[in-house]
Structure formats: C-alpha cells, structure tokens
Amino acid sequence: MIRVIWRRLLGLILVLVMAWLWVLLSATPAYAQEKTVNHSLTELSYRDFSNMNLVGGVFAGAEMRGTNFQGADLSGSIFTKGNLLKANLEGANLTNSLADRVFLDQAILTNAILTDAIMNSTRFYDAEITGADFTNAVIDRYQAKLMCERATGVNPVTGISTRDSLGCR
C-alpha cells in the first residue's frame, strides 16, 4: 500500500515538474511598448489629440470632457471609468479597445470604428453615432437598444451600417 502511494506521489511530482518546465521554456517575454501613452487619472479636458497614434494608450479614470480625438488611432486603448462627455471621436479607430464604465454622453462617434471593443456599463446618451461601426463590440443591451433608435449611416472605412453592427431589428 505504501509503495502504491509513493509511486503515485512520485508520478504526480514528475508531472508537475514537467508542466513547470514546459511553461518556463515556452513562455515568451512581455515587452512594454516604447510609445504607449499612459494618462491614467489625468485631467485631459478639451485637449487636442486629433489624428494622433495612441495605439494601446491607457486613459483609465481620466477626465476627458470635450477632448478631441478626431481621426486618432486608439486601437487597443483602455478607457476604464473615463469621462468622455462631449468628446469628439469622429473617425477615430477604437478597435479592440476597453471602455467599461465610461461616459460617452453627447460624444461625437460619427464614422468611428469600435469593432471588437468591450464597452460594458458604458453610456452613450445622446451620442452622435452616424456611420459608427460596432461590429462584435460588447455593449449593454439597453444601450444598444437606445442607440438603435437613432442609428443611421454606413462607416466609410469598413462599409458596415451602424444599424447592422449594433444588431438592430
């Protein structure tokens, strides 16, 4: 009986060591992006970031009321708990961005690309969404329903209608 327990224990240890070596040897190092913008918890109201490359930027908890992001590349950016009231995101690329618990009330999202973005608990009250592409974006049903009531236009870059991207009936 003791031999059986000892063999099982030795086998378990061998499997754990092999798994640990596999993880250690197959892991690739994570490198920080040299040009990543980090504006967490910063006051950025009414600043002009138009047409800038802000890929992977972090704007968590930032105050961005009236900020101009027109034409900016914000793909992969983080806006958690940000305030973008009346911000201009016209033609901005927010593909794969994270914008949970963000206020986008009265923001301009005309022709913006928000594909594959995660936007749960985010508000879009009175936001201008003509031509915006929300394909595969995670949006609260209630917000999507409200946006469907005013969704019009086709995104000039992706060719997807705003209504189709929101799943409107």
Side-chain angles (χ1 to χ4, degrees):
M1 181 72 168
I2 293 176
R3 281 187 172 174
V4 172
I5 293 172
W6 183 250
R7 283 184 190 172
R8 286 184 182 171
L9 183 61
L10 192 57
L12 179 63
I13 291 171
L14 183 62
V15 168
L16 290 174
V17 168
M18 289 175 52
W20 179 77
L21 284 173
W22 178 74
V23 169
L24 183 67
L25 296 175
S26 67
T28 55
Y31 298 104
Q33 294 179 351
E34 287 182 30
K35 297 181 181 178
T36 298
V37 177
N38 188 346
H39 289 295
S40 295
L41 303 171
T42 343
E43 171 59 54
L44 301 172
S45 293
Y46 305 103
R47 297 262 314 263
D48 186 7
F49 293 102
S50 59
N51 301 306
M52 293 182 109
N53 180 355
L54 300 167
V55 174
V58 180
F59 300 89
E63 177 64 42
M64 297 166 281
R65 182 183 307 259
T67 300
N68 184 6
F69 288 107
Q70 184 176 5
D73 188 352
L74 294 156
S75 53
S77 293
I78 299 171
F79 292 93
T80 302
K81 293 186 178 180
N83 183 2
L84 286 153
L85 294 171
K86 298 183 180 182
N88 184 356
L89 293 148
E90 182 176 353
N93 182 359
L94 290 136
T95 302
N96 294 315
S97 61
L98 173 64
D100 67 315
R101 295 170 286 163
V102 173
F103 296 111
L104 282 161
D105 301 347
Q106 300 177 5
I108 301 168
L109 295 167
T110 304
N111 299 327
I113 302 171
L114 302 111
T115 56
D116 300 312
I118 298 173
M119 309 187 101
N120 52 313
S121 299
T122 293
R123 289 187 355 194
F124 297 90
Y125 297 149
D126 297 322
E128 175 56 52
I129 59 169
T130 302
D133 184 354
F134 293 93
T135 303
N136 297 324
V138 177
I139 302 170
D140 294 343
R141 287 185 192 176
Y142 179 71
Q143 289 296 317
K145 182 181 175 185
L146 290 177
M147 286 192 289
C148 282
E149 293 173 3
R150 62 183 193 281
T152 61
V154 174
N155 187 281
V157 176
T158 65
I160 304 294
S161 80
T162 302
R163 291 189 61 75
D164 290 344
S165 70
L166 285 168
C168 302
R169 295 180 190 190

